[in-house]
Amino acid sequence: MPSRRYGRYIFYFYVADLVREPIDYHVDDDGRTAKYWLSPIECASTGGIKSHDLSKIERVLRANYAALIALWEEEREKI
């Protein structure tokens, strides 16, 4: 399960998602997990994370968009 940490948030995806879904990341925050689509950036599931934290997560996604897409594509090439 490839992942990246940005501050307190851990961004990851399941390898099975590489073939089944558009680019998406799960984001862990204090025991809760949200899911985001990346093209375009959109929250698919809040996982109980508060709205102000979701806004912070979206800012992190935008700031690290290229790196997250590159990680997804790098892993997809392996399958």
Side-chain angles (χ1 to χ4, degrees):
M1 181 167 55
S3 66
R4 289 283 190 274
R5 177 182 284 275
Y6 296 104
R8 70 185 218 202
Y9 307 114
I10 300 171
F11 294 78
Y12 62 94
F13 57 87
Y14 296 103
V15 174
D17 288 351
L18 294 170
V19 294
R20 296 186 311 179
E21 297 191 16
I23 298 174
D24 69 89
Y25 272 83
H26 302 266
V27 185
D28 284 355
D29 177 34
D30 197 28
R32 295 190 168 117
T33 304
K35 180 178 179 178
Y36 279 86
W37 303 112
L38 259 63
S39 293
I41 295 174
E42 180 181 350
C43 185
S45 171
T46 66
I49 296 175
K50 296 178 181 175
S51 62
H52 69 275
D53 289 319
L54 292 171
S55 295
K56 291 177 186 177
I57 290 169
E58 286 189 30
R59 283 194 296 275
V60 172
L61 281 168
R62 291 182 197 292
N64 298 284
Y65 183 83
L68 292 168
I69 293 291
L71 177 61
W72 176 279
E73 290 174 349
E74 179 182 311
E75 290 298 318
R76 191 164 189 185
E77 287 177 8
K78 294 178 184 177
I79 57 171

